[in-house]
Amino acid sequence: MGGTALVLGGGGVTGVAWEIGVLSGLAAAGLDLTNADTVIGTSAGSLVAAQVMSGASLDDLYEAQLAPRAGEVAAKMGVRFYATMAAMLLSSRDPQRFRQRIGARALAATTVPEAERQAVIASRLPSPEWPVRPLLITAIDALTGALVVFDRDAGVPLVAAVGASCAVPMVWPPITIDGRRYIDGGIRSSANADLAADADRVVVIAPVAQGGGVIPKVADEVKALRERAEVALVAPDREALAAIGRNVLDPARRPAAARAGRRQAATVLDSVRHVWAAVRG
């Protein structure tokens, strides 16, 4: 891979807003991370990655987070979701087996129709075409629990890849691609930052940085990356966490989350610039 990598992690609707706030704030200060040699997106981060690599203006994307969207429906990762996740994390020692068990629950869950969910994803993308520069989107095979990384050469529509990566189990439907069904890439890791192992300079923007059980903490992935690369990790500070709130799937929290990301960009500018400018000269 080499060069620079931008890693965008998962975090629901509010995670999208916060990430766009951070990216737009950094760009306003003269540091545009969307020119990364490689962008890696997981769950909400896959949507942001597809948006920013389409050539869409960061200012426009930010303003869109502040505006209400007609017909937008709040979802929630409720008691059943967290109870299932906690029980399986406590009882699982093998990461892939854990993901396989979650996949089985996702396949059995009653959700909105797959086509309806995909239409929502399509409406969020400025373009349905894969970008020319490398974009990696993570998802999990719901049947086997295996990690799958989609890119331009995979022969998979961008909308399907993003939809799969964003398919929160038991909340949104698994997405069918070539006869197989896929769920949220964040079930393996909220950022999958280890996929940037071959880059020289990495910036990880992770709305959800904690892990648990067989799901690694983003900080641990970053620590491993730092053995061979310059890495900056940006996670929500206390004020941003308050703005994001407890329900990351609540669209009513988008404006506050976006503003919090934009504000926080100023506090991380120097550390991120140190990583990014070191290779840009």
Side-chain angles (χ1 to χ4, degrees):
M1 184 186 295
T4 54
L6 172 62
V7 178
L8 298 171
V13 172
T14 54
V16 169
W18 177 79
E19 285 183 339
I20 288 175
V22 171
L23 290 170
S24 65
L26 291 173
L31 185 60
D32 184 2
L33 300 185
T34 66
N35 62 7
D37 297 310
T38 301
V39 179
I40 299 166
T42 291
S43 198
S46 73
L47 178 60
V48 176
Q51 289 176 328
V52 301
M53 293 189 77
S54 72
S57 160
L58 280 171
D59 286 339
D60 289 345
L61 291 172
Y62 177 69
E63 291 300 323
Q65 294 303 313
L66 305 182
R69 292 194 181 121
E72 200 165 34
V73 178
K76 189 174 184 178
M77 291 182 287
V79 174
R80 184 185 67 166
F81 174 88
Y82 288 112
T84 299
M85 289 290 292
M88 291 193 179
L89 282 169
L90 287 171
S91 62
S92 297
R93 299 184 183 278
D94 178 79
Q96 186 166 334
R97 174 59 180 153
F98 160 73
R99 299 191 296 267
Q100 188 178 35
R101 294 172 68 193
I102 293 294
R105 291 297 185 97
L107 291 170
T110 300
T111 64
V112 300
E114 187 176 336
E116 180 178 319
R117 178 61 179 162
Q118 284 295 72
V120 171
I121 297 295
S123 73
R124 300 287 188 261
L125 298 183
S127 169
E129 302 300 325
W130 283 89
V132 175
R133 281 184 295 121
L135 167 60
L136 308 182
I137 293 178
T138 66
I140 302 300
D141 186 309
L143 189 62
T144 68
L147 171 70
V148 177
V149 181
F150 297 115
D151 62 12
R152 182 184 178 90
D153 298 326
V156 172
L158 179 61
V159 172
V162 173
S165 192
C166 293
V168 180
M170 299 172 284
V171 177
W172 302 124
I175 299 302
T176 305
I177 300 173
D178 293 333
R180 302 197 69 83
R181 305 192 75 192
Y182 297 90
I183 59 173
D184 196 329
I187 298 302
R188 176 182 183 263
S189 159
S190 67
N192 291 291
D194 59 311
L195 297 180
D198 293 333
D200 301 313
R201 301 290 188 270
V202 184
V203 173
V204 181
I205 302 180
V208 177
Q210 66 266 31
V214 295
I215 299 179
K217 295 178 181 178
V218 175
D220 290 340
E221 293 181 325
V222 166
K223 182 179 179 180
L225 286 174
R226 284 180 174 149
E227 295 179 1
R228 62 181 71 86
E230 293 289 329
V231 188
L233 170 60
V234 182
D237 58 18
R238 183 172 298 180
E239 186 176 335
L241 288 173
I244 287 169
R246 291 180 179 272
N247 181 13
V248 300
L249 300 180
D250 184 0
R253 309 290 298 198
R254 283 192 298 103
R259 292 188 181 98
R262 182 94 173 193
R263 173 201 54 79
Q264 192 176 347
T267 71
V268 300
L269 176 63
D270 288 345
S271 61
V272 174
R273 192 195 302 277
H274 172 77
V275 167
W276 217 245
V279 73
R280 299 288 175 179

